[in-house]
Amino acid sequence: MATVDAATPRFPAPIHDLTATVGSPAFALSGPDGQIRAPAGMHGLFVADVRVLSQALLSFGATEAEPLAHLHEGPGRTRFVAVARALGDIVADPTVRVERIRLVRPDGMDEEIHIRSTAAAPVLATVTIDVRCDLTPLEVAKTGRSRAELTGSLATTAEGELGIAWSNDGTAVTIVATGAALSAEPPRFTWTVEVPAAGEVLLRWTVRSSDHRPVIVAPRAPVEWARPEITADESRLGRLLDRSLDDVTALRLAESSDPDEVFLGAGVPWFLTLFGRDSLWAARMMLPLGTRLAEGTLRVLARRQGTRVDPRSGEAPGKIMHELRREDIWHGETTLLPAAYYGTVDATLLWISLLAEAWRWGMPEPTVASFVPHLRRALSWLDYHADPDGDGFVEYIDHSGRGLANQGWKDSGGAIRFHDGSLAQPPIALCEVQGYAHRAALDAAALLDVFDDAVPRDEADRWRAYAAAMAERFRARVWVSGSSGTHPALALDARGRPVDSLTSNIGHLLGTGILSREEEALVSDLLGGDPMSGAYGLRTMSTLDAAYAPLSYHCGSVWPHDTAIVLAGLVAAGADGVASADAAARRLLVGLLDAAEAFDYRLPELYGGDGRSEIGRPIPHPAACRPQAWSATAAVAVLQAALGLTVDVPHRSVRLRPLPDMGAVEVSGLRVAGSPIEISVDRSGAANIRGLPDGLRSTARQSLVRS
């Protein structure tokens, strides 16, 4: 077994300044110049959570080319542009241009190196690529450490090409460079080329990796969703959607046991695998483009639905899992998660609501019916395991001592804090989880009414009664009054005390039905104020709380998916007559578009919560995944919010209520019940929808455009 460098500090290696090229389950991380440097933190080509290439250094003689730009060119493809100043004419302008085109594929990477010359005479050059391989697991590389470099050997591929090969722990890697001379020690490929005057030379090299025990693989099926076309006065809507859908395409994954059922990996580099909560939210945001991704996500998670009580893994009968890995994985120094880990309090509830939402968007009824046995098992978890102390609230606690201390979406150890900054102690009942439970109970009742004749007729009514009782308990115990005003608490702690900080969690309650219209108005007012919305999106914690810090993972940063979820809730509240909701929604939408522009339309997992009045652009978080599934799919949620689009196929209803002051928008290629539709909104806010399936009726309300 190769050794690990123990001298390097064990903290997440910074990735904010790296360029990611993704072809799941593979991804390459390099500098913006395209160079993969070793040792350099998270640089490398990773396949299935193993770094199969730790260096790929391109040189011309003894010098590197000078980088000019890098360009995204679609899913899994990046172009790096540079100039070779040491070559060509001795004039002020560069005469030799180098373009390195990187294509990442599920089993490795292909590169083309285009050397173009405008020099007056032919250019002679020695081109080298120095490569290294260490087969370091992702969880080790994450800490900034690495295994020792492996020794390669010359090998002949099945196609008869000579390359350099490495292998260890069941992973084998082979690199071939067409037409190059090669040496195994040190591992290097060398071309001697002559670039004609005003001509070009093309060089190619490839990396291939094989794995004898894959858990996650590339899907066998084609892309499941539509690709809408947008023309809008707010042109950033289209740019964000185009880039985001490229990233969503690159994040498609399947289990090796069933490569036809597709879900989205949570994000690059840390979480490129099945994550219950992340994959569910991402599929839910993608519903305006079709229901097939939702179906695959529901089915993959249903197949692994819990069957037993296991404190180590957090498994319980009916529970939906949190995370799937090849083997047990360390998160930090004290947290050891089993390969199949169930430590999530909300994924089961989100699974129920995704099923109901997919039904409303037109998932075929036989498909919906096939999930009813799993729905009943999920409800059994809510009945018997979600509330261990019997106080009526859904709560979590890690009984193993090795799992996640916090098990809502804000799952870092310091996420749940009182207004004074002190930590809440488990078991913890998060406010938004009670809203999810309320919504899931109503969603389940609606599904049982239609799809399950096997249960007693009063079963659906029992879940409606559960929701009503939850709303009463929530109103009585979870609201607080403090320096920010009256609002739902973040959570209840082990002693039943309301955790009185003001956080974005309360925005997730909008649209769940747990709040009255008056309560939605209070929440909307607070969310729209500067302490929460004064950044480029919605802060995770108010600036008035003691624990607030703009780069805190969950106590002050901005998460695009969080902002998008709350944006959707505000739009729904506005449609229900909450006067302040539209203004708050528009502020968040514009904040996300401003952030998208700053990040070249690839929204990261999170970024700093610094105020817009304090700083001219959002600050990257050093450990944020990018691309990340629910940040990318947030682009679809933003478009849906701008249109005010609500679909309920079972009740034959489609509603449009465009967000005020968004200008004209034309969208084609959205899907309702599998049919493509077209939506247009003019500058006055008048909306029209075309192409609805027979039997559906639309209601298009004109938004109020302020003068």
Side-chain angles (χ1 to χ4, degrees):
M1 178 69 68
T3 60
V4 170
D5 178 7
T8 306
R10 299 189 178 192
F11 54 82
I15 56 174
H16 64 282
D17 57 350
L18 301 185
T19 298
T21 310
V22 184
S24 297
F27 59 88
L29 295 177
S30 72
D33 57 358
Q35 300 282 45
I36 297 174
R37 302 177 187 275
M42 280 296 296
H43 279 235
L45 171 66
F46 292 80
V47 179
D49 286 352
V50 175
R51 183 161 59 197
V52 301
L53 182 69
S54 55
Q55 177 175 279
L57 199 63
L58 174 64
S59 301
F60 295 83
T63 63
E64 299 180 29
E66 298 178 13
L68 298 180
H70 65 279
L71 302 91
H72 168 74
E73 295 191 332
R77 182 181 170 100
T78 306
R79 183 185 298 262
F80 302 90
V81 182
V83 291
R85 287 281 191 179
L87 301 177
D89 295 344
I90 305 175
V91 294
D93 294 330
T95 57
V96 177
R97 172 173 169 144
V98 181
E99 296 192 6
R100 184 174 185 175
I101 301 172
R102 175 170 296 156
L103 179 64
V104 173
R105 43 181 284 164
D107 63 347
M109 181 174 78
D110 297 341
E111 279 201 353
E112 293 182 352
I113 303 166
H114 296 256
I115 307 170
R116 298 190 173 102
S117 175
T118 58
V123 173
L124 296 176
T126 300
V127 184
T128 60
I129 293 182
D130 292 295
V131 295
R132 295 186 188 180
C133 176
D134 58 17
L135 294 182
T136 297
L138 175 68
E139 63 178 299
V140 176
K142 180 178 182 179
T143 67
R145 300 174 297 158
S146 62
R147 287 183 172 179
E149 179 186 343
L150 299 176
T151 300
S153 59
L154 300 182
T156 302
T157 68
E159 293 76 21
E161 294 185 280
L162 187 62
I164 305 175
W166 299 263
S167 64
N168 194 32
D169 293 344
T171 299
V173 183
T174 303
I175 302 179
V176 171
T178 303
L182 68 164
S183 65
E185 190 58 41
R188 168 179 285 184
F189 298 92
T190 304
W191 294 269
T192 301
V193 300
E194 179 177 312
V195 188
E200 175 181 348
V201 168
L202 172 61
L203 309 176
R204 291 186 174 93
W205 67 286
T206 64
V207 186
R208 294 292 181 267
S209 173
S210 62
D211 179 2
H212 77 291
R213 52 188 184 116
V215 174
I216 301 299
V217 297
R220 188 164 52 197
V223 172
E224 297 78 8
W225 48 82
R227 183 89 183 204
E229 295 184 2
I230 304 176
T231 303
D233 288 349
E234 176 49 272
S235 60
R236 296 179 299 180
L237 280 172
R239 293 174 192 154
L240 174 59
L241 187 67
D242 283 345
R243 179 66 186 267
S244 296
L245 290 181
D246 282 348
D247 283 337
V248 173
T249 299
L251 291 169
R252 295 169 71 247
L253 286 171
E255 287 191 279
S256 57
S257 58
D258 189 352
D260 291 321
E261 295 292 354
V262 179
F263 59 89
L264 295 184
V268 172
W270 319 127
F271 309 120
L272 192 56
T273 186
L274 176 65
F275 269 73
R277 177 191 308 115
D278 300 51
S279 300
L280 286 163
W281 268 122
R284 191 163 167 180
M285 291 180 183
M286 290 285 284
L287 283 171
L289 308 188
T291 61
R292 186 65 184 88
L293 175 64
E295 179 185 343
T297 305
L298 289 164
R299 203 170 300 285
V300 168
L301 289 168
R303 192 161 50 226
R304 292 183 173 272
Q305 198 167 14
T307 59
R308 59 180 182 144
V309 174
D310 180 6
R312 178 176 177 267
S313 69
E315 184 178 355
K319 194 175 185 182
I320 297 298
M321 71 179 307
H322 173 62
E323 178 178 354
L324 179 65
R325 299 283 186 175
R326 183 201 304 262
E327 55 194 14
D328 295 0
I329 185 169
W330 285 96
H331 284 252
E333 296 293 320
T334 60
T335 302
L336 178 62
L337 304 187
Y341 182 58
Y342 289 77
T344 168
V345 73
D346 51 10
T348 310
L349 307 171
L350 294 172
W351 188 96
I352 294 171
S353 288
L354 175 60
L355 177 61
E357 277 296 292
W359 173 45
R360 294 185 185 104
W361 276 91
M363 178 184 281
E365 291 199 348
T367 303
V368 179
S370 72
F371 287 111
V372 169
H374 300 284
L375 169 65
R376 295 180 67 189
R377 292 178 203 139
L379 290 172
S380 74
W381 173 81
L382 186 55
D383 242 345
Y384 300 112
H385 301 281
D387 177 21
D389 64 4
D391 65 352
F393 293 104
V394 179
E395 58 212 358
Y396 63 81
I397 186 171
D398 171 43
H399 291 287
S400 72
R402 285 292 185 92
L404 295 174
N406 287 315
Q407 297 184 0
W409 87 259
K410 294 180 179 177
D411 57 3
S412 59
I416 311 304
R417 294 180 180 270
F418 287 86
H419 173 67
D420 65 6
S422 58
L423 279 171
Q425 297 301 313
I428 289 171
L430 294 167
C431 71
E432 78 274 17
V433 171
Q434 315 317 309
Y436 297 164
H438 184 276
R439 171 72 185 268
L442 295 179
D443 285 340
L447 289 163
L448 293 173
D449 280 339
V450 175
F451 290 101
D452 200 347
D453 295 331
V455 299
R457 295 188 62 84
D458 62 353
E459 181 71 4
D461 289 337
R462 183 170 77 84
W463 286 108
R464 281 186 275 267
Y466 171 95
M470 173 66 82
E472 288 182 12
R473 285 191 298 273
F474 190 91
R475 191 164 291 116
R477 293 190 52 193
V478 182
W479 283 75
V480 295
S481 294
S483 59
S484 296
T486 301
H487 60 87
L490 166 58
L492 300 177
D493 74 351
R495 294 162 53 188
R497 298 178 302 166
V499 181
D500 58 348
S501 52
L502 174 61
T503 66
S504 63
N505 301 60
I506 67 172
H508 291 229
L509 299 169
L510 298 169
T512 66
I514 201 169
L515 302 179
S516 68
R517 183 178 297 179
E518 293 75 18
E519 291 165 343
E520 286 189 332
L522 289 171
V523 169
S524 297
D525 287 343
L526 286 169
L527 293 174
D530 277 346
M532 292 298 299
S533 292
Y536 293 86
L538 185 67
R539 293 185 176 104
T540 44
M541 177 174 279
S542 164
T543 58
L544 303 179
D545 285 288
Y548 165 78
L551 285 176
S552 167
Y553 200 60
H554 287 132
C555 297
S557 59
V558 173
W559 290 61
H561 91 281
D562 183 36
T563 302
I565 290 168
V566 175
L567 170 61
L570 287 166
V571 168
D576 288 340
V578 176
S580 60
D582 281 347
R586 191 174 188 284
R587 187 177 193 187
L588 293 184
L589 190 151
V590 171
L592 274 183
L593 291 178
D594 289 345
E597 187 174 14
F599 288 111
D600 196 24
Y601 297 98
R602 175 181 264 180
L603 283 168
E605 178 186 18
L606 72 154
Y607 46 86
D610 302 270
R612 297 165 69 94
S613 61
E614 303 164 9
I615 197 160
R617 60 162 293 157
I619 300 299
H621 189 285
C625 288
R626 187 167 176 254
Q628 203 249 10
W630 58 12
S631 289
T633 57
V636 183
V638 166
L639 176 61
Q640 183 182 352
L643 298 171
L645 176 61
T646 305
V647 174
D648 191 344
V649 171
H651 291 92
R652 303 185 180 280
S653 171
V654 177
R655 291 187 297 161
L656 279 175
R657 182 185 176 272
L659 199 61
D661 302 319
M662 289 303 300
V665 184
E666 294 270 354
V667 184
S668 62
L670 302 178
R671 287 182 183 170
V672 173
S675 296
I677 63 169
E678 298 178 1
I679 295 173
S680 60
V681 182
D682 66 22
R683 289 187 176 90
S684 74
N688 184 46
I689 186 168
R690 298 175 296 279
L692 286 175
D694 292 343
L696 293 185
R697 61 184 183 274
S698 65
T699 303
R701 293 175 54 190
Q702 181 168 330
S703 61
L704 299 176
V705 180
R706 292 184 289 272
S707 59

